[in-house]
């Protein structure tokens, strides 16, 4: 294969799948993108002039084919799609048998399917089937827009988790994106009963601007290997990974201050983090603890929230909210402490390492049975 043949194949498969798109737009679009990825990888591995194009291959290819939507980024996505989902090869071969009489169909996908069948045997015979969505289900139940949200995830089990739950919950692309950004996979992994968490997710009112999680995943801070984590370490790591932290907190959060100094009864106090939620139009006071929840933690946070309510609110602001992040909490103690308190103080835990996947694996196998695949 040379570059001219690569460009020609991309143009041909685009035309073929476009002709047969009526009634099966999403499926054929997915197949088209997989096949484009297939050709790109084949060229990169064995193209006669691949060295000539090198790292500029996708840029030059997008200019050569001039197909709307197939820019450099999309071609890279197609390549990644092929690499992430080699099992689709069997479905591609089968789907194209009904249209192989078209003159422009590439010879690699002719009626005999000898070339693709060889690729299929090499890839699919070695692939693990235990946590792999059947290709027919993958193509028929998920649009490529859904798959595009899942593709960047490196962990195969995590990708499989979102495939299963997206199909089961009939999530929109927006809902899938939201669950990925909220680290649903990790939250389910550390839940004693992940099925209850997911049942709650499926019944959530997505119009709510703020959902305070019971558990926040802070593994991106890189503190897991540290022998003794102090509050200062935690705060410093959050500032170094502020973007990830704000995304983990949820929708609409903006950073306002760190170690905010306030004066109460002529004494100085310092608030760990002050955020602002532009959707709720209120300040969010965050206190960080590196130990288990204690009553005095609540007293401290409550005083800060009350101070902000009296002294810092401006016109148009709603009352502030307080979130206490600690390593663990006794549910009864939290219940007793917060009894009678308006919904403005929340106690959550955080984790600094990824969960054990064994429980999730068993759960996902049960979910597959429920889907009937």
């Amino acid at each position: 294969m040379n570059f001219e043949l690569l460009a020609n194949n991309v143009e041909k498969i685009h035309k073929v799948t476009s002709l047969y798109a009526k009634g099966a737009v999403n499926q054929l679009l997915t197949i088209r993108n997989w096949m484009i990825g297939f050709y790109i990888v084949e060229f990169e591995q064995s193209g006669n002039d691949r060295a000539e194009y090198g790292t500029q291959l996708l840029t030059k290819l997008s200019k050569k084919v001039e197909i709307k939507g197939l820019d450099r980024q999309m071609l890279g996505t197609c390549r990644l799609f092929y690499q992430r989902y080699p099992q689709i090869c069997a479905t591609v071969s089968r789907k194209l048998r009904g249209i192989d009489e078209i003159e422009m169909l590439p010879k690699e996908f002719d009626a005999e399917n000898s070339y693709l069948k060889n690729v299929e045997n090499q890839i699919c015979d070695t692939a693990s089937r235990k946590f792999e969505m059947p290709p027919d289900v993958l193509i028929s139940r998920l649009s490529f827009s859904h798959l595009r949200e899942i593709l960047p995830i490196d962990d195969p089990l995590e990708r499989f988790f979102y495939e299963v739950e997206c199909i089961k919950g009939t999530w929109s692309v927006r809902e899938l994106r939201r669950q990925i950004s909220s680290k649903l996979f990790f939250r389910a992994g550390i839940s004693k009963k992940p099925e209850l968490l997911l049942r709650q997710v499926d019944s959530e009112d997505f119009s709510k601007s703020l959902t305070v999680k019971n558990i926040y995943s802070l593994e991106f801070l890189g503190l897991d290997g540290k022998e003794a984590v102090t509050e200062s370490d935690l705060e410093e790591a959050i500032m170094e990974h502020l973007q990830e932290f704000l995304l983990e907190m949820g929708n609409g959060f903006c950073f306002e201050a760190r170690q905010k100094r306030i004066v109460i009864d002529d004494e100085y106090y310092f608030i760990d983090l002050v955020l602002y939620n532009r959707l709720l139009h209120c300040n969010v006071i965050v206190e960080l603890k590196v130990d288990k929840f204690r009553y005095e933690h609540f007293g401290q946070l409550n005083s800060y929230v009350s101070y902000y309510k009296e002294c810092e609110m401006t016109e148009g602001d709603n009352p502030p909210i307080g979130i206490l992040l600690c390593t663990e909490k006794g549910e009864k103690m939290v219940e007793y402490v917060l009894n009678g308190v308006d919904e403005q103080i929340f106690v959550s835990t955080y984790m600094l390492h990824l969960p054990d996947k064994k429980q999730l694996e068993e759960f996902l196998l049960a979910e597959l049975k429920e889907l009937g695949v």
Side-chain angles (χ1 to χ4, degrees):
M1 182 187 292
N2 56 36
F3 180 77
E4 288 297 322
L5 181 57
L6 169 64
N8 190 42
N9 282 335
V10 170
E11 290 174 332
K12 283 182 178 180
I13 202 61
H14 170 74
K15 291 176 183 177
V16 169
T17 52
S18 296
L19 283 174
Y20 279 82
K22 186 177 181 181
V25 175
N26 285 335
Q27 290 187 40
L28 281 175
L29 177 64
T30 301
I31 289 174
R32 182 204 73 165
N33 293 338
W34 187 92
M35 292 170 68
I36 288 173
F38 162 79
Y39 277 126
I40 290 172
V41 172
E42 284 299 305
F43 174 81
E44 289 176 327
Q45 291 178 346
S46 56
N48 296 333
D49 53 356
R50 63 188 185 277
E52 178 184 344
Y53 295 91
T55 58
Q56 296 298 312
L57 172 64
L58 300 184
T59 300
K60 293 179 179 179
L61 181 59
S62 65
K63 292 178 179 178
K64 176 71 175 177
V65 298
E66 293 185 330
I67 296 173
K68 185 178 179 181
L70 282 180
D71 56 13
R72 184 193 181 286
Q73 184 178 6
M74 185 60 188
L75 290 172
T77 299
C78 292
R79 176 174 60 188
L80 182 61
F81 182 37
Y82 170 76
Q83 293 168 331
R84 295 288 203 215
Y85 293 97
Q87 71 267 32
I88 289 180
C89 55
T91 298
V92 169
S93 175
R94 189 164 54 254
K95 291 276 186 183
L96 290 180
R97 283 171 190 159
I99 59 176
D100 60 8
E101 70 276 5
I102 299 298
E103 184 179 347
M104 65 181 68
L105 190 68
K107 64 181 179 61
E108 286 88 352
F109 298 89
D110 62 14
E112 297 300 321
N113 293 294
S114 57
Y115 185 75
L116 187 61
K117 196 163 279 186
N118 181 47
V119 174
E120 177 182 334
N121 291 337
Q122 290 179 30
I123 297 176
C124 297
D125 285 352
T126 59
S128 171
R129 300 305 221 196
K130 194 174 183 181
F131 298 103
E132 181 183 283
M133 185 65 68
D136 287 341
V137 177
L138 202 65
I139 289 179
S140 62
R141 303 286 292 276
L142 293 175
S143 70
F144 189 73
S145 295
H146 285 95
L147 292 168
R148 196 171 183 175
E149 295 295 326
I150 298 172
L151 279 177
I153 300 172
D154 291 327
D155 185 356
L157 183 65
E158 186 177 352
R159 289 199 303 271
F160 180 69
F161 171 85
Y162 287 114
E163 292 161 14
V164 170
E165 297 309 323
C166 187
I167 291 173
K168 187 179 177 185
T170 61
W171 294 345
S172 66
V173 175
R174 183 179 179 184
E175 289 170 2
L176 171 61
R177 187 182 303 125
R178 178 181 182 274
Q179 296 306 335
I180 292 175
S181 66
S182 70
K183 305 264 192 317
L184 180 63
F185 171 73
F186 300 110
R187 289 190 284 134
I190 59 177
S191 298
K192 293 181 179 178
K193 294 186 177 180
E195 64 276 9
L196 296 181
L197 171 65
L198 291 162
R199 196 179 305 156
Q200 178 184 351
V201 165
D202 289 336
S203 63
E204 276 182 2
D205 178 3
F206 289 97
S207 65
K208 291 182 179 178
S209 299
L210 175 64
T211 301
V212 178
K213 306 171 191 175
N214 286 325
I215 303 172
Y216 288 86
S217 174
L218 304 182
E219 80 286 346
F220 54 82
L221 298 181
L223 294 174
D224 184 33
K226 198 173 178 67
E227 291 185 3
V229 177
T230 66
E231 290 178 11
S232 179
D233 293 331
L234 185 58
E235 184 182 319
E236 191 67 37
I238 286 174
M239 296 308 299
E240 291 177 0
H241 299 83
L242 186 58
Q243 182 179 358
E244 294 98 325
F245 178 73
L246 293 177
L247 288 173
E248 174 63 11
M249 292 302 292
N251 293 330
F253 279 96
C254 307
F255 174 75
E256 187 170 297
R258 169 195 183 187
Q259 288 298 307
K260 171 73 173 180
R261 187 177 70 174
I262 62 175
V263 181
I264 302 175
D265 293 333
D266 297 324
E267 290 190 37
Y268 290 123
Y269 296 88
F270 296 87
I271 302 173
D272 289 340
L273 296 172
V274 179
L275 309 178
Y276 191 86
N277 190 285
R278 59 181 179 80
L279 302 178
L280 293 181
H281 300 287
C282 72
N283 279 111
V284 180
I285 312 302
V286 180
E287 276 297 295
L288 307 170
K289 303 299 177 186
V290 292
D291 54 359
K292 187 176 180 178
F293 170 77
R294 298 196 304 270
Y295 175 79
E296 53 266 34
H297 295 158
F298 166 77
Q300 180 186 25
L301 179 57
N302 191 44
S303 64
Y304 294 164
V305 170
S306 298
Y307 169 86
Y308 251 78
K309 186 175 182 179
E310 180 177 322
C311 304
E312 298 287 342
M313 283 181 60
T314 59
E315 185 177 353
D317 280 351
N318 289 315
I321 291 171
I323 300 178
L324 178 70
L325 290 179
C326 53
T327 56
E328 58 180 302
K329 60 181 181 180
E331 295 298 333
K332 274 298 178 184
M333 175 58 78
V334 171
E335 179 185 334
Y336 293 150
V337 169
L338 297 183
N339 186 31
V341 178
D342 293 337
E343 290 189 2
Q344 60 180 19
I345 302 290
F346 299 89
V347 178
S348 300
T349 59
Y350 59 87
M351 62 176 183
L352 297 175
H353 61 277
L354 302 184
D356 184 0
K357 293 182 179 178
K358 186 175 181 181
Q359 177 184 345
L360 263 180
E361 290 176 352
E362 295 173 355
F363 168 72
L364 285 173
L365 289 175
E367 291 280 85
L368 266 186
K369 289 182 180 178
E370 191 171 325
L371 280 176
V373 297

